[in-house]
Amino acid sequence: MKLGFLTACLPGLALEEIVAWAAESGYQGLEVASWPRVQGRDWEASHLEVAGFTASDAERTRALFERHDLEISAVAYYENNLHADLEQRAAIHDHLRACIDAAELLGCGLVGTFIGRDVTASVQDNLRLAESVLPPLVDYASAHGVRLVVENCPMEGWHPDGYPANLAYSPELWDWIGSLGFFLNYDPSHLVWLGIDPVEALRSNAEMILHVQAKDAQVDERARNRYGVFGRMVDRPTPWDTGWWRYRIPGLGSVDWNGVVDALYESGFEGFVSVEHEDPIWSGTPVKVKQGLTIAHRTLSPLLV
């Protein structure tokens, strides 16, 4: 196994700077954020401009990584592929196909995404919708030598009531997404607050896991007793603030990383473990983000022999 990180945590830095720092800091690869550049959405990282990405662009990017002895573990674009707005959904699919094209040119076999959800419809209606509109994306990826890996994040902030808005959040749904041709970008942090054992879920679904995201979760059980699992509803400051749990750097939450890594080894996994930095304590400036990534490296690197 190799250790990398998702570049989305450093949206204001150029890819060249991130690659150099990652290599100096002992990381072995990067999951490269590839959102489109949209005015007013500066928090979304566009470290690969995949629209119009050419063979020359790919050659320069590969050379950058090779100079620093790093790999590209995946091209990352996590968006709602079942968006209720048909125009937005079409744009998301177009950009996902551009990510697939770029991954092919880069010789990278994985693109990370979400299933998503039409939040105006029931889960059952969404399952049927996905079965209709998503297989062409899987087929497109396959034709270009790429596999789509789905992060199991609930994306509850997309739903007006804080319910799951990415239909890949539970092992039950992993069987279903596998039937559509998707694989997993396995992130144990989401399972912690959902009450699912991350190690057991991994062992039962190891054949689907092609990429791993390393993020932790810290639970405040007393606050959960007040708000319940769906989180606070009155005076919720943001759609993402449940009031009883938060994401943390690996090692600063409740995930059993020894158990997770041991289960990965036992399953024969030989891919990348990619730190997804969403820790509010180690955020706010590039310096603090890098400090958080250093903590993550210190936690995980001794386990990845």
Side-chain angles (χ1 to χ4, degrees), residues 137-200:
L137 294 173
V138 174
D139 292 343
Y140 186 87
S142 180
H144 290 264
V146 172
R147 289 179 288 186
L148 297 176
V149 289
V150 175
E151 184 189 352
N152 53 290
C153 178
M155 294 305 291
E156 68 286 349
W158 280 351
H159 194 286
D161 293 318
Y163 302 142
N166 173 38
L167 297 182
Y169 63 89
S170 73
E172 176 192 17
L173 290 165
W174 300 348
D175 292 338
W176 170 73
I177 68 170
S179 73
L180 298 181
F182 292 93
F183 294 86
L184 275 178
N185 189 0
Y186 173 76
D187 185 333
S189 67
H190 307 299
L191 301 175
V192 168
W193 71 266
L194 288 170
I196 299 170
D197 181 348
V199 176
E200 175 59 30

Side-chain angles (χ1 to χ4, degrees), residues 83-132:
H83 201 290
D85 183 300
L86 295 183
E87 186 175 338
Q88 289 194 52
R89 186 193 301 171
I92 290 166
H93 290 189
D94 285 346
H95 193 77
L96 182 59
R97 282 188 286 266
C99 287
I100 293 166
D101 294 341
E104 180 184 27
L105 289 172
L106 290 165
C108 172
L110 301 178
V111 170
T113 188
F114 287 138
I115 296 296
R117 176 179 178 175
D118 176 348
V119 298
T120 70
S122 70
V123 170
Q124 289 301 316
D125 286 344
N126 269 271
L127 297 181
R128 305 293 83 80
L129 173 64
E131 291 163 2
S132 172

Side-chain angles (χ1 to χ4, degrees), residues 6-39:
L6 172 60
T7 66
C9 58
L10 293 165
L13 300 189
L15 182 60
E16 291 79 4
E17 182 177 348
I18 296 173
V19 168
W21 183 86
E24 292 168 1
S25 302
Y27 280 97
Q28 297 160 290
L30 294 173
E31 183 183 1
V32 184
S34 304
W35 276 260
R37 293 192 184 277
V38 177
Q39 189 173 5

